[in-house]
């Protein structure tokens, strides 16, 4: 069976520690970040920082959850 359906785009659902004006604005000045999110189960997520390029990759687990420790 060939899967012809494109996966949904991965998303960032959390940043530890979010130091912006609210806990959900995804703004921080913390240089020791742990990013987390959701993606297609067992897929590889590549995180890119504008102006810098790829900062890391993470693998989503069987439930589609992933995290990246960017310290």
């Amino acid at each position: 069976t060939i899967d012809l359906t494109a996966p949904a785009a991965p998303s960032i659902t959390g940043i530890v520690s979010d130091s912006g004006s609210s806990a959900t604005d995804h703004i921080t000045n913390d240089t020791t970040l742990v990013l987390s999110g959701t993606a297609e189960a067992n897929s590889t997520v590549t995180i890119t920082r504008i102006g810098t390029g790829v900062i890391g990759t993470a693998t989503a687990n069987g439930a589609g959850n992933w995290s990246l420790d960017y310290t």
Side-chain angles (χ1 to χ4, degrees), residues 23-60:
T24 58
D25 63 4
H26 297 153
I27 297 172
T28 187
N29 61 2
D30 188 346
T31 59
T32 57
L33 299 175
V34 177
L35 306 169
S36 60
T38 59
E40 182 177 30
N42 304 310
S43 64
T44 300
V45 178
T46 302
I47 306 296
T48 304
R49 181 176 173 190
I50 295 172
T52 303
V54 173
I55 61 170
T57 60
T59 301

Side-chain angles (χ1 to χ4, degrees), residues 21 44 67:
S21 60
T44 300
S67 68

